[in-house]
Amino acid sequence: MVRMSAEERRESVVRAAMSEFARGGYYGTSTEAIAKRVGVSQPYLFRLFPGKKAIFLAAAERCLEDTVRAFEAASEGLSGEAALHSMADAYTRVIAEEPERLLMQMQMYVAVAAAEQAGDHELGEAVRAGWMRLWETVHLPLGADVDQTTDFLAYGMLINCLVAMGFPAEHRVWEGLYPSARAKGRLEH
């Protein structure tokens, strides 16, 4: 059996943390569950990360960066409507194929709200910085049009909510979305 480097083990912790936090949220997920999923002890987990918040931040940043990369790849060489529809199509594919990423996004927003209420701004600052990278990634291919960027991201949040609530792809609530964002047949549960 080949031993993993600390960086490879760290990567496996981030992936496991995304899965665990996606299901249980920040407050409902134990570091023990993450360590168990990875196959390491909690003390080893804390040699890789200083604490649960650091693990959550790494998972949140990865979730946002993965989405940024998906939008960058989808919009490469495109602009305007072509970029919009390509990014919408890519996003609906991502949440259909990687539902944990969608759930992790939703958990990030809940965790930020709870942390902010408790006076802890570190999590919110990190997630907002990641969200701004996401915003810029969408904004430029859409011609740096603030209204189009806002509409695109608003539709994305609506899609997040509809999928998280379990609305099937054929439900009438999807009818108001532009065709590439409707996800007909993609979001089967």
Side-chain angles (χ1 to χ4, degrees), residues 17-188:
M18 283 180 66
S19 294
E20 292 296 327
F21 287 130
R23 289 184 180 92
Y26 180 72
Y27 296 101
T29 299
S30 69
T31 55
E32 180 182 355
I34 296 167
K36 184 176 179 180
R37 181 180 276 259
V38 177
V40 299
S41 67
Q42 278 186 293
Y44 184 79
L45 190 71
F46 292 125
R47 284 201 305 260
L48 298 171
F49 293 92
K52 182 178 175 178
K53 186 195 293 186
I55 297 169
F56 188 83
L57 282 168
E61 288 171 1
R62 170 62 55 75
C63 182
L64 288 165
E65 284 305 312
D66 286 351
T67 304
V68 163
R69 282 195 295 279
F71 285 150
E72 286 173 341
S75 65
E76 188 174 348
L78 302 175
S79 62
E81 289 288 314
L84 181 139
H85 292 292
S86 183
M87 288 186 294
D89 188 54
Y91 188 67
T92 56
R93 249 190 338 273
V94 163
I95 62 174
E97 294 168 7
E98 301 175 49
E100 286 182 345
R101 191 180 323 169
L102 164 72
L103 295 175
M104 181 64 196
Q105 285 181 42
M106 301 301 275
Q107 295 291 359
M108 285 184 324
Y109 307 139
V110 170
V112 166
E116 292 284 332
Q117 284 292 315
D120 179 355
H121 305 293
E122 180 184 9
L123 186 59
E125 289 170 6
V127 170
R128 284 188 293 275
W131 177 257
M132 288 309 302
R133 285 191 308 278
L134 184 66
W135 194 90
E136 290 295 338
T137 300
V138 169
H139 187 62
L140 296 176
L142 296 180
D145 183 299
V146 172
D147 291 336
Q148 272 199 323
T149 303
T150 300
D151 287 348
F152 180 83
L153 292 171
Y155 274 114
M157 291 305 292
L158 175 59
I159 290 167
N160 287 355
C161 291
L162 295 175
V163 172
M165 289 186 287
F167 279 102
E170 66 279 354
H171 195 281
R172 67 185 174 92
V173 297
W174 294 98
E175 292 173 9
L177 298 176
Y178 36 86
S180 58
R182 285 189 190 147
K184 289 279 188 202
R186 281 201 203 136
L187 301 176
E188 306 302 323

